[in-house]
Amino acid sequence: MILNKYLTQISNVLVIGCGGAGLRAAIEVKESGLDVNILGKRSRNDAHTVLAAGGINAAFGNLDLEDSWEQHFIDTYLEGYCIGDPRKIEIMAKESPFFVNEIDKWGANLAKLKNGKLDQRFFGAHKYRRTCYSGDYTGLSILKTLLNKAEILNIPIYDNQYVTEILVKDNICFGAVSFNTSTSERTVHLADAVIICTGGHTRIWKKSSSRKNENTGDGYYLALNAGCELIDMEMVQFHPSGMLFPEEIEGTLVTEAVRGEGGKLFNNKGERFMRNYDSARMELSTRDKVALANYTEIMEGRGTENGGVFLDISHKSKEFIIEKIPNIYRNFLEFQNLDISKSPMEVAPTAHYSMGGIHVKPYSLSTSVDGLFAAGEVAGGLHGANRLGGNSLAEILIFGKRSGTSCVNYSKKLKYQNRCENKIKIALENIEKLIKKGTELVRPLQKELRLIMWKNCGVIKNKVLLEEGLDKIGIIKNKLNDVEVRLDQQNNDLKLALDLKASIMSAESTIISAIERNESRGSHQRNDYQETSENLNFNLIVNLDKENQDLKVRKIPNKSLSEEQKRLINGIKRETNFNQKLLE
């Protein structure tokens, strides 16, 4: 490959990621009159957004008149264990009704009540019915709607583009470099502003609701190498219910809508065990508590033969099940020949959502690098130590739009673009350096990393496990130089090698943060520090020391509540019990 042979594309704004956040950002840019390009690592119709099944939150009060944005704020802040950014939470709580109405009017076809208003279902830890939905395929409905809107606006979407590096000079972003995964053709994308919307890193755990070759942490890798910071990477949500078998679909999500529609959890003794963990809310407790309960039942010998617990909705009619959760019904029939209207499902915790991410400002979604923004799951700050189901789809619409608006404002104020040919040359050379003969293959190293993360940084952690995991990851990291990368028609070796580099950096960021937080809080559970300390209300920041390529972690005070927010929190009876039953 000759380095000076590459394509060049120019736009006002470049969006990396063609999921819900990226599409909503691009729509905002285009409707503001600027040029925007979207780069997708996989097919635009198959972004990770399609896996967000259960619904999208908005405090309409269509069924429970008492609901309000204030209560949505309270639920999200408290159930995030008070380390989420209250400014970002308030934005979401206030603005989600507008965006849910907007996406429905655009064609998402959310379920309606007889009076024409949007139907709403219960999701865990919401005080009221707040979750709007399209069956159990809400994310797919939203993605298709956004894609249709983007097509109407003639927004260019380039599939099969793997972004390898963000272009930065003097802490100013001026574009990115990618290669086409089908043709290996290199492209330099010059832009006034760039938005990272690449999703999280949950695929680096053995049991994961993500699919192959997605959510490998490449957004975090791009951000760290560009000079950005990450926040609260130790906060990874393990969803209570993932499928157990067959092996190729292990961890596949069994949506919270199953519990929201009346599903009950049982152990192998027939006990409805959630009464021992949260007797008030039972199966509608927070995800961290239900996941911890499921994990504890399994590890203490009260699980199923296949290493799970039973989730049963067979007390509901078959017609009800097919109407409310059609995809879950079909998945169990297709993969296990199990009719869930007659028999219980077997489920176990699965790595599901990255609640930490790129450190951004809550209003503009800007990073510490000028001209570089982030939105969606890849951005941190909203969920704290536990994400409420239904908040993620609201997040991608609200903050996708905000990031687009911020890029428009940034681009219009820009007097000239700060480009650097040498930075482009180095970025292209970095791709070429990966193509070489070697003694190691990527897939076995990926599997090894996923197993390490599951065993050493899983549902329950401790310092010994975490430090052991870090040492093991260091061994894999040293093998990177011996990885063989050949160019073929699909460039699989090159894609996988880059995925592995990103996964290793994301795994290290997660573990060093988990070591630093000496308490149990929400999704971060340590059996050597079982209490949640009110004195440890801080956030953790990770950055890359480029001189020696080491990751550093430090504490910062978490954002304090405004006086109005304090009045909201102090005005309710606090139901959140931070200290949970932990497996010894």
Side-chain angles (χ1 to χ4, degrees):
M1 180 67 62
I2 301 172
L3 287 179
N4 62 2
K5 287 196 174 182
Y6 58 85
L7 294 178
T8 301
Q9 289 188 339
I10 301 174
S11 61
N12 297 112
V13 178
L14 176 69
V15 177
I16 303 172
C18 60
L23 288 166
R24 188 61 187 85
I27 288 167
E28 190 62 23
V29 174
K30 186 70 173 182
E31 289 190 328
S32 298
L34 298 187
D35 291 329
V36 58
N37 289 333
I38 303 176
L39 307 182
K41 183 177 173 181
R42 60 195 303 136
S43 167
R44 69 194 70 181
N45 297 305
D46 196 32
H48 187 67
T49 305
V50 302
L51 297 187
I56 180 170
N57 295 332
F60 289 117
N62 290 342
L63 290 172
D64 298 317
L65 300 180
E66 305 92 336
D67 201 12
S68 63
W69 79 260
E70 290 92 343
Q71 188 61 52
H72 192 182
F73 171 86
I74 291 166
D75 291 347
T76 302
Y77 181 74
L78 288 184
E79 301 301 346
Y81 294 81
C82 304
I83 65 167
D85 190 327
R87 300 168 298 175
K88 202 170 187 183
I89 296 169
E90 183 172 332
I91 291 168
M92 181 200 65
K94 283 182 173 178
E95 296 186 1
S96 57
F98 171 85
F99 284 91
V100 172
N101 273 327
E102 178 186 71
I103 199 69
D104 185 59
K105 290 176 182 176
W106 285 0
N109 193 29
L110 301 174
K112 306 293 192 303
L113 299 166
K114 290 181 179 180
N115 62 9
K117 293 182 178 181
L118 296 177
D119 194 5
Q120 298 185 278
R121 59 172 38 141
F122 272 121
F123 254 32
H126 293 278
K127 187 170 183 179
Y128 301 113
R129 286 171 287 185
R130 184 179 294 140
T131 307
C132 306
Y133 63 94
S134 293
D136 59 353
Y137 47 88
T138 314
L140 177 61
S141 294
I142 288 174
L143 183 71
K144 285 184 174 180
T145 302
L146 292 171
L147 283 169
N148 183 60
K149 183 76 170 178
E151 184 177 356
I152 291 170
L153 293 171
N154 293 315
I155 296 174
I157 302 175
Y158 300 95
D159 295 335
N160 304 317
Q161 290 292 326
Y162 197 118
V163 177
T164 61
E165 203 162 327
I166 304 292
L167 296 171
V168 178
K169 181 189 177 185
D170 299 331
N171 202 50
I172 300 172
C173 175
F174 66 94
V177 168
S178 73
F179 71 92
N180 187 301
T181 57
S182 297
T183 67
S184 79
E185 188 173 53
R186 280 48 163 169
T187 303
V188 174
H189 306 269
L190 301 175
D192 299 337
V194 173
I195 314 175
I196 302 176
C197 302
T198 53
H201 70 317
T202 50
R203 183 61 187 171
I204 69 174
W205 278 265
K206 181 179 182 292
K207 296 180 182 180
S208 170
S209 62
S210 300
R211 301 163 297 185
K212 279 186 177 181
N213 305 328
E214 71 178 8
N215 281 2
T216 54
D218 39 320
Y220 304 138
Y221 177 82
L222 291 172
L224 284 169
N225 279 297
C228 300
E229 298 175 332
L230 307 183
I231 185 171
D232 294 339
M233 288 296 289
E234 76 281 13
M235 295 303 176
V236 177
Q237 183 169 75
F238 291 88
H239 196 286
S241 50
M243 295 181 73
L244 294 177
F245 58 91
E247 184 178 356
E248 62 267 23
I249 55 94
E250 182 183 31
T252 296
L253 185 67
V254 179
T255 173
E256 189 169 313
V258 177
R259 288 182 285 122
E261 298 294 352
K264 301 174 183 178
L265 289 164
F266 296 91
N267 60 23
N268 63 15
K269 296 182 178 182
E271 298 168 334
R272 197 174 169 192
F273 57 82
M274 277 308 299
R275 64 172 57 95
N276 300 322
Y277 301 87
D278 190 341
S279 59
R281 295 182 291 189
M282 298 292 284
E283 286 83 5
L284 290 178
S285 183
T286 55
R287 285 183 176 178
D288 59 300
K289 287 186 179 180
V290 182
L292 181 63
N294 289 358
Y295 185 81
T296 302
E297 294 296 307
I298 295 163
M299 297 304 292
E300 291 185 350
R302 295 183 294 277
T304 68
E305 289 184 6
N306 293 302
V309 294
F310 294 111
L311 175 59
D312 192 8
I313 199 167
S314 62
H315 52 281
K316 298 284 188 177
S317 71
K318 187 172 185 175
E319 292 74 21
F320 177 89
I321 292 169
I322 292 174
E323 177 190 355
K324 297 293 185 179
I325 48 171
N327 284 336
I328 296 300
Y329 180 80
R330 176 176 291 184
N331 280 348
F332 277 92
L333 269 181
E334 289 184 353
F335 290 109
Q336 297 181 9
N337 196 28
L338 179 75
D339 185 343
I340 64 172
S341 70
K342 298 177 181 178
S343 304
M345 301 159 260
E346 290 183 65
V347 298
T350 179
H352 179 57
Y353 196 89
S354 305
M355 294 177 293
I358 301 172
H359 193 199
V360 295
K361 293 180 180 178
Y363 301 108
S364 65
L365 287 303
S366 59
T367 69
S368 56
V369 176
D370 291 344
L372 185 56
F373 302 77
E377 186 177 354
V378 77
L382 177 64
H383 306 291
N386 178 58
R387 180 177 72 84
L388 295 187
N391 275 351
S392 60
L393 287 176
E395 176 185 20
I396 62 175
L397 298 179
I398 294 164
F399 296 104
K401 178 185 187 298
R402 278 182 170 265
S403 66
T405 299
S406 296
C407 285
V408 169
N409 294 336
Y410 180 86
S411 177
K412 287 182 176 179
K413 291 178 182 177
L414 205 62
K415 295 181 180 178
Y416 62 91
Q417 192 184 72
N418 191 31
R419 299 174 183 173
C420 179
E421 287 295 331
N422 190 51
K423 293 288 185 181
I424 295 171
K425 180 176 181 291
I426 292 171
L428 292 168
E429 287 175 344
N430 286 338
I431 299 175
E432 303 305 315
K433 288 177 183 177
L434 290 170
I435 304 166
K436 62 184 186 305
K437 293 182 179 180
T439 58
E440 299 284 349
L441 297 177
V442 175
R443 281 296 191 200
L445 295 179
Q446 279 185 324
K447 290 180 180 178
E448 188 178 346
L449 177 64
R450 295 182 70 208
L451 190 59
I452 290 168
M453 291 302 288
W454 185 255
K455 288 184 175 180
N456 295 86
C457 191
V459 179
I460 296 178
K461 316 164 184 68
N462 60 53
K463 186 176 181 180
V464 173
L465 283 174
L466 291 166
E467 290 183 341
E468 178 186 81
L470 202 58
D471 290 340
K472 289 180 178 178
I473 290 171
I475 295 172
I476 297 177
K477 191 175 181 179
N478 289 333
K479 292 179 180 179
L480 274 175
N481 293 327
D482 294 320
V483 166
E484 178 159 300
V485 176
R486 299 182 181 182
L487 288 183
D488 57 22
Q489 286 186 339
Q490 297 300 317
N491 295 286
N492 283 323
D493 282 359
L494 185 55
K495 289 186 292 186
L496 292 175
L498 286 161
D499 281 347
L500 181 60
K501 285 170 71 72
S503 296
I504 288 172
M505 187 173 283
S506 298
E508 287 180 318
S509 298
T510 302
I511 290 183
I512 64 174
S513 296
I515 291 172
E516 192 69 21
R517 186 173 287 280
N518 292 326
E519 64 167 349
S520 290
R521 183 182 293 264
S523 63
H524 174 73
Q525 292 293 314
R526 287 184 53 166
N527 58 17
D528 52 348
Y529 290 95
Q530 296 193 17
E531 300 296 312
T532 299
S533 173
E534 295 292 347
N535 298 321
L536 294 182
N537 283 8
F538 57 77
N539 299 108
L540 289 170
I541 298 295
V542 173
N543 67 282
L544 177 66
D545 185 337
K546 288 194 174 183
E547 189 172 333
N548 53 28
Q549 287 296 295
D550 281 345
L551 294 169
K552 307 291 184 183
V553 60
R554 72 182 192 278
K555 299 175 184 177
I556 62 169
N558 63 341
K559 295 298 180 183
S560 58
L561 295 162
S562 68
E563 290 304 314
E564 180 187 359
Q565 292 166 346
K566 285 178 184 177
R567 285 194 293 271
L568 288 177
I569 297 298
N570 294 333
I572 65 150
K573 179 182 177 181
R574 187 171 179 138
E575 297 177 354
T576 303
N577 177 18
F578 279 177
N579 295 318
Q580 306 169 24
K581 183 179 186 294
L582 254 184
L583 180 69
E584 296 292 344

